[in-house]
Amino acid sequence: MEHAHWHRVMVLSLLLVGLIALPVWGDELVAVQRGKAVLQAVGGCSCHTDDKHSGAFLAGGRPIKTPFGTVYSTNITPAPKTGIGTWSEADFHKAMTQGIGPDGKHYFPVFPYTSFTHMTEQDVRDLKAYLFSIPPVEQANKPPELRFPFGWRTGLLVWRWLNFRPGTFQPHSDQSAEWNRGVYLVTALGHCAECHTPRNWLGGLKTTLAYAGSADGPEGELAPNITPDEATGIGKWSVADIVWFLQTGLKPNGDDTQGLMSVVIENGYKHLPEADLRAIAAYLRSLPPIRNKVVKKDK
Amino acid sequence: MTRAQRNLYGCLVVFVCLMLTSAGIQAQEEEAFIQYRQKVMTSNGANMGAIGDILKNKLPYQSHISVHALEIQRMSTLIPDAFKKDIAAGKTDAKPEIWKEWDKFTAAANTMGLEAAELAKVAQNGNMEAIGAQVKKLSDSCGNCHKPYRKPKEESYKNKS
């Protein structure tokens, strides 16, 4: 009798705990789902997966060639020793929006915190929730191989003073909701400028040539001019053309895109809701057209 | 200069001229081959682009998708012949790997043909989701050949200074 009573109490208490915990667990699940959508809008964080060497998902190690040397992406799985498994919300937020690690180390701007600084707090939190839901993989990070003086972290203070403008994206009240969503997707999440805007000799973005293409994109690739200039940019592309391209990787002439762009479409942009892709297209089409033919110089 | 020497120099000049002319003729001939195979590939792009136009702009030409897909399938059978001649220099983005891995290259062209034929079939059923998925497979088959056998845009002859 006594035993049956305790049994009932136990079952009831467990149920109660379960009921209290359910909404929290549910919230967490929703955050993970939202975070996955953020990851896709970022392009799948594809630089953090070394797919050329069949590396584990987001475990880093992908070599990223830049004009300043080669950097290896870091492990952003929730592995406690070599990944970000021990990071707090605040650590993650600081890394994403200020480019400073939990150990106080300044990141090289090959990690586009200069774009992610514009992300909303909610999106940063959700992205962390998603990253903490993926399988942890212990894989040590590789140190960067940068030419002097670019490997000197203290020098980054000067770089930041020159090039880093922190702050969450503020919508422009005189523009449409679609346009504002487009700006947010292109500048804060998609970080298009990081590859499509050329850089000066110090690696800062040449803002006068914003989105006008770069001959020295990441991994030695050429990033085309995506301003609406008809001769050298994508001025002849309609909104539907841009949406279709971001869904399939197919250009209006039927050719397919290659390189990092095909990777970020596959892992990221193609999963975005069509309304978001239209917003991206609306913003890109509103950019000032810049005539700039991107040509690779023979070395 | 003796007569024999004059004759020798004369012969040499004629020989060099002949060599240069034949090199010129050969370059022109190679250019013609390059132009032809580029047209074969451009026609694939044009048909792929047309399929894209119908889908992205929701044009009332859904029945045309099969026709474009069949065109790509037919063109795929010309690719091995069009690329048979080993020409990797000049105004071309064809990589020498094509002729080093000839069997793989022709197999990739064949796969594209099969995917195109499948799209022609799927398009007749009219299920948009299935059509989209098969377009993706066909476009992947283009990419799977472009990746190893076509120079990326940063190495393209079109983007060199």
Side-chain angles (χ1 to χ4, degrees), chain A residues 232-253:
Chain A
T232 59
I234 56 169
K236 286 185 179 141
W237 293 33
S238 65
V239 166
D241 286 337
I242 298 174
V243 170
W244 178 254
F245 174 74
L246 292 173
Q247 284 172 332
T248 63
L250 291 170
K251 301 172 202 174
N253 67 2

Side-chain angles (χ1 to χ4, degrees), chain A:
Chain A
M1 192 65 193
E2 188 79 342
H3 180 79
H5 173 72
W6 276 113
H7 189 81
R8 269 202 298 275
V9 170
M10 284 285 282
V11 170
L12 271 173
S13 336
L14 275 175
L15 266 175
L16 205 65
V17 169
L19 278 175
I20 293 167
L22 199 61
V24 179
W25 187 55
D27 276 357
E28 188 56 30
L29 266 184
V30 174
V32 168
Q33 280 305 314
R34 277 197 312 253
K36 189 175 180 185
V38 173
L39 174 108
Q40 288 164 343
V42 167
C45 300
S46 304
C47 290
H48 289 274
T49 305
D50 186 14
D51 42 358
K52 276 180 198 153
H53 304 101
S54 316
F57 182 51
L58 301 183
R62 184 187 184 109
I64 297 159
K65 263 195 223 153
T66 76
F68 314 99
T70 301
V71 204
Y72 298 91
S73 61
T74 55
N75 184 343
I76 54 167
T77 72
K81 283 186 200 137
T82 53
I84 60 168
T86 58
W87 290 21
S88 66
E89 292 279 345
D91 289 341
F92 188 73
H93 193 266
K94 198 170 177 184
M96 286 293 290
T97 61
Q98 294 181 47
I100 300 173
D103 52 359
K105 217 186 247 178
H106 285 196
Y107 292 151
F108 292 109
V110 64
F111 169 61
Y113 66 90
T114 39
S115 293
F116 301 149
T117 186
H118 307 310
M119 281 172 77
T120 63
E121 251 179 61
Q122 175 83 57
D123 276 355
V124 175
R125 255 202 314 272
D126 291 342
L127 180 61
K128 178 175 180 278
Y130 173 72
L131 291 177
F132 273 63
S133 77
I134 66 168
V137 178
E138 290 292 3
Q139 180 180 292
N141 290 324
K142 280 189 210 166
E145 295 154 8
L146 292 166
R147 281 190 293 117
F148 180 81
F150 300 107
W152 184 46
R153 282 190 200 260
T154 316
L156 289 173
L157 288 172
V158 180
W159 192 92
R160 289 166 71 93
W161 180 71
L162 285 171
N163 299 297
F164 180 42
R165 302 286 170 269
T168 313
F169 167 69
Q170 300 300 326
H172 301 246
S173 53
D174 56 337
Q175 293 278 2
S176 70
E178 185 186 56
W179 185 87
N180 274 302
R181 177 73 181 151
V183 181
Y184 182 70
L185 286 162
V186 167
T187 59
L189 298 181
H191 61 289
C192 311
E194 301 285 345
C195 299
H196 288 280
T197 300
R199 291 174 186 272
N200 58 31
W201 66 278
L202 275 174
L205 295 180
K206 285 185 189 164
T207 43
T208 51
L209 284 174
Y211 304 101
S214 167
D216 295 305
E219 305 196 331
E221 289 174 4
L222 181 152
N225 181 343
I226 54 168
T227 74
D229 179 55
E230 287 210 1
T232 59
I234 56 169
K236 286 185 179 141
W237 293 33
S238 65
V239 166
D241 286 337
I242 298 174
V243 170
W244 178 254
F245 174 74
L246 292 173
Q247 284 172 332
T248 63
L250 291 170
K251 301 172 202 174
N253 67 2
D255 193 7
D256 63 320
T257 188
Q258 291 281 323
L260 203 50
M261 194 65 207
S262 69
V263 177
V264 291
I265 288 176
E266 189 59 33
N267 298 338
Y269 306 145
K270 79 165 190 190
H271 301 283
L272 293 191
E274 199 172 317
D276 274 354
L277 296 177
R278 294 186 75 85
I280 291 175
Y283 174 60
L284 290 180
R285 292 206 48 87
S286 80
L287 291 171
I290 300 174
R291 186 139 304 180
N292 181 42
K293 184 163 165 57
V294 188
V295 171
K296 193 91 180 164
K297 291 188 184 73
D298 273 321
K299 284 188 183 148

